[in-house]
Amino acid sequence: MTDTAYFDEHGPVGPADKKTIRTVIAASAVGTMIEWYDFYIFGSLATIIAGHFFPQGNTTLALVQTLATFAAGFAARPFGALVFGRVGDRVGRKYAFLVTLVIMGGATFVIGLLPGYASIGIFAPMTLLVLRLLQGLALGGEYGGAATYVAEHVPNNKRGYYTAFIQTTATLGLFVSLVVILLVRNAMSTEDWERWGWRIPFLLSAVLVLVSLFIRMRLAESPLFTRMKAQGKTSDAPVAESLGSVSRWQTMLTVLWGAAAGQAVVWYTGQFYALTWLESVGKVDFVDTRTIIAVALAAATPFFIVFGALSDRVGRKKVMMTGNLLAAIFIIPIFALMWRFTPAGGTYNPVMLTVCVFMLVILVTIVYGPIAAFLVESFPARVRYTSVSLPYHVGNGYFGGFLPVIATAVSAAAMANPGAFPVAARYAGLIYPVAVATITFIIGSLLLRETAHVDIHDENHVAVDPRPQPLVFGVLVALTFIALLMADLFLLPTFTPEGQPPYVQYVFRGLVVIVIAASLLPRMLRRR
């Protein structure tokens, strides 16, 4: 296939010309990077936010409540995928991710203005939670749109390479958030930073969003979607089409457990948990921690494109499964090496710590570089926005987003029960990402098909085996049930203050019931 566009009576078909591709990638990547920036400055400033928006007296509880609020944004992401996925598959890719950008930028800006607990009491954490949920909804609709929009403009044989630019945006968003925080922090006294300076990174989001909106407003709709809409082939019910049968649930769960879950835990371990671990366990200084992470991210980011391009040559599956296997083997040894160079563990050496984090981020680039292309290739065009977004955001929203809280809870259990875990307490939290990466390697190796040579302009293509297989479906459902049960029994109680009703668990159980009902209802109606 060539790099030039071609046309039929309904308009442009297939890949755009190189100039258009560069414009599309730049506009999509800049906007998505800004959304990640907005999303992650909250986590990067979790300790300070805890002191402003939650009642003080118990610093640990305030931090846990902040992390829970942070995690709420991840919990909302799959619902954003449903809401904006439907918009993207019915109205258009461009319209959907313009709306998500406005919502994300607006919520972030308001966080920068929000009065603290000392001023408005309980309304401070409640409003903060609502804003985080809005951020999660917006991000849930952004990524699938950007990945789909880019993929539908580019040639089949370079899809991994071009979509890898979108894969850099999450890391670049975290990188930019860290750089902005460091610049603002170093420009003022500690007292000013803790009193009001921390708000500046949130407020700057408004400028970034306006620039991105200006760029995105000038884009045209995806040529493939334009053609489908002209022919009347868009889906009237993309959510029902994505989840309305056993075979479709089997496809979703295969992609979730065979690709997205492992990618999520490797990503959040290598970049986000590494930051938390260096600061809380290794006792590395606030500024040094963010400098170490930022330098490692800057050095490793080009490798997203390297491994995305490699997947065009050798296949998505081989690259992603290799990354999951390497992560399962080397995550704990790399953290053990890091411990030796932290103030708490031995001789402080920030250069070696940067090298260690760089190695972790390289593992991230292997699993994450090809996954946008893989997800786009796994679903037909008429429901692509919805279908790409769902497994990605369930994986990253739950498996990845809750990783810091899960790892902290496991580490606390290890400290309370010395000798009960196979590794030292400071590494016990890593058992979770290692286990999930191992499961993804096994499921992905056995069940995923290679998708690198799929023509996504064929709206009827099938890249994951659609035939219902009772054994496969049973195993996937069992894994999902075990994950939900463990979250309900061990994770969610950590969000509830001692002596209070478990409202978080009640909400979680209600959401599970709603999802099950929404899955079964279309089938029941069809049978009737």
Side-chain angles (χ1 to χ4, degrees):
M1 183 171 289
T2 67
D3 288 355
T4 57
Y6 53 93
F7 299 80
D8 66 9
E9 67 273 17
H10 297 288
V13 182
D17 60 89
K18 289 183 178 180
K19 181 180 178 181
T20 301
I21 289 174
R22 286 194 293 268
T23 302
V24 164
I25 290 173
S28 301
V30 169
T32 306
M33 182 199 73
I34 291 168
E35 293 219 30
W36 285 112
Y37 164 86
D38 287 351
F39 202 72
Y40 284 126
I41 51 176
F42 188 101
S44 299
L45 297 173
T47 304
I48 291 177
I49 289 171
H52 282 271
F53 293 105
F54 291 91
Q56 295 304 292
N58 186 332
T59 304
T60 301
L61 178 59
L63 181 58
V64 169
Q65 289 173 327
T66 304
L67 290 174
T69 305
F70 179 58
F74 290 93
R77 282 167 61 175
F79 298 95
L82 289 172
V83 172
F84 293 106
R86 186 174 187 274
V87 173
D89 282 325
R90 294 197 65 187
V91 180
R93 307 347 186 176
K94 173 187 171 181
Y95 177 80
F97 66 43
L98 281 174
V99 175
T100 62
L101 184 61
V102 172
I103 293 174
M104 175 67 85
T108 305
F109 184 76
V110 173
I111 290 175
L113 298 175
L114 184 64
Y117 189 87
S119 300
I120 60 174
I122 192 64
F123 291 104
M126 289 175 62
T127 306
L128 185 66
L129 177 61
V130 171
L131 293 170
R132 280 300 295 172
L133 291 173
L134 286 174
Q135 286 186 320
L137 287 170
L139 192 58
E142 166 69 22
Y143 175 84
T148 300
Y149 187 74
V150 170
E152 291 180 349
H153 277 85
V154 303
N156 286 327
N157 63 344
K158 293 184 179 179
R159 194 179 303 118
Y161 168 72
Y162 284 122
T163 57
F165 285 92
I166 296 299
Q167 300 308 94
T168 67
T169 58
T171 296
L172 286 174
L174 177 57
F175 172 78
V176 172
S177 73
L178 294 174
V179 170
V180 170
I181 289 168
L182 289 171
L183 290 175
V184 176
R185 171 64 184 83
N186 290 327
M188 61 183 63
S189 66
T190 301
E191 293 75 17
D192 286 343
W193 164 253
E194 293 181 353
R195 190 168 65 252
W196 59 268
W198 63 270
R199 295 180 180 273
I200 294 176
F202 288 95
L203 299 176
L204 284 176
S205 170
V207 178
L208 299 174
V209 168
L210 289 174
V211 172
S212 182
L213 274 176
F214 174 76
I215 297 172
R216 283 190 172 186
M217 289 288 287
R218 303 172 67 186
L219 295 176
E221 184 52 83
S222 149
L224 176 55
F225 183 85
T226 300
R227 178 171 178 257
M228 287 176 57
K229 198 165 187 177
Q231 294 176 332
K233 292 183 177 181
T234 55
S235 174
D236 292 326
V239 176
E241 278 196 48
S242 298
L243 299 173
S245 67
V246 170
S247 64
R248 288 166 186 158
W249 269 100
Q250 180 177 295
T251 297
M252 283 288 178
L253 292 175
T254 301
V255 173
L256 171 63
W257 283 103
Q263 164 265 303
V265 296
V266 175
W267 198 101
Y268 284 94
T269 300
Q271 297 179 121
F272 227 94
Y273 185 63
L275 186 153
T276 303
W277 188 90
L278 284 172
E279 195 169 10
S280 61
V281 178
K283 306 303 180 185
V284 180
D285 173 73
F286 176 95
V287 172
D288 284 4
T289 298
R290 282 146 185 82
T291 303
I292 288 166
I293 298 293
V295 172
L297 294 181
T301 293
F303 287 90
F304 286 106
I305 299 168
V306 170
F307 289 109
L310 180 63
S311 74
D312 285 327
R313 299 174 62 87
V314 305
R316 323 288 186 221
K317 179 177 174 179
K318 288 180 181 178
V319 176
M320 293 189 301
M321 293 307 106
T322 299
N324 278 283
L325 179 60
L326 291 175
I329 294 171
F330 289 111
I331 279 178
I332 292 178
I334 292 173
F335 272 82
L337 182 62
M338 286 168 61
W339 171 254
R340 293 175 54 188
F341 300 111
T342 61
T347 303
Y348 179 46
N349 189 328
V351 174
M352 286 304 301
L353 289 177
T354 304
V355 171
C356 290
V357 175
F358 172 80
M359 290 190 291
L360 290 172
V361 182
I362 288 296
L363 296 176
V364 174
T365 64
I366 301 174
V367 297
Y368 197 60
I371 200 168
F374 167 78
L375 290 171
V376 169
E377 293 158 355
S378 295
F379 303 102
R382 56 188 283 112
V383 293
R384 182 168 290 142
Y385 200 133
T386 303
S387 298
V388 165
S389 299
L390 273 173
Y392 177 83
H393 285 297
V394 170
N396 284 274
Y398 294 108
F399 288 92
F402 286 93
L403 187 145
V405 181
I406 294 172
T408 301
V410 173
S411 296
M415 286 187 284
N417 300 278
F421 286 76
V423 294
R426 58 180 169 270
Y427 311 126
L430 299 168
I431 293 174
Y432 167 67
V434 167
V436 174
T438 302
I439 292 170
T440 290
F441 171 72
I442 295 170
I443 297 292
S445 297
L446 294 176
L447 299 182
L448 292 184
R449 290 178 172 179
E450 181 51 63
T451 64
H453 304 297
V454 165
D455 181 2
I456 65 169
H457 300 91
D458 174 8
E459 293 122 35
N460 298 313
H461 86 272
V462 178
V464 177
D465 191 346
R467 297 171 300 175
Q469 301 177 64
L471 178 60
V472 170
F473 186 65
V475 169
L476 295 172
V477 169
L479 281 172
T480 306
F481 175 78
I482 292 170
L484 291 172
L485 182 62
M486 292 182 69
D488 185 75
L489 294 178
F490 301 111
L491 173 62
L492 298 181
T494 64
F495 296 160
T496 304
E498 188 174 351
Q500 298 294 318
Y503 293 121
V504 176
Q505 284 176 289
Y506 295 157
V507 171
F508 175 76
R509 292 167 185 172
L511 290 175
V512 171
V513 171
I514 290 171
V515 171
I516 293 173
S519 307
L520 296 177
L521 189 60
R523 297 188 66 204
M524 295 170 63
L525 291 175
R526 281 201 304 271
R527 287 181 178 180
R528 292 188 63 181

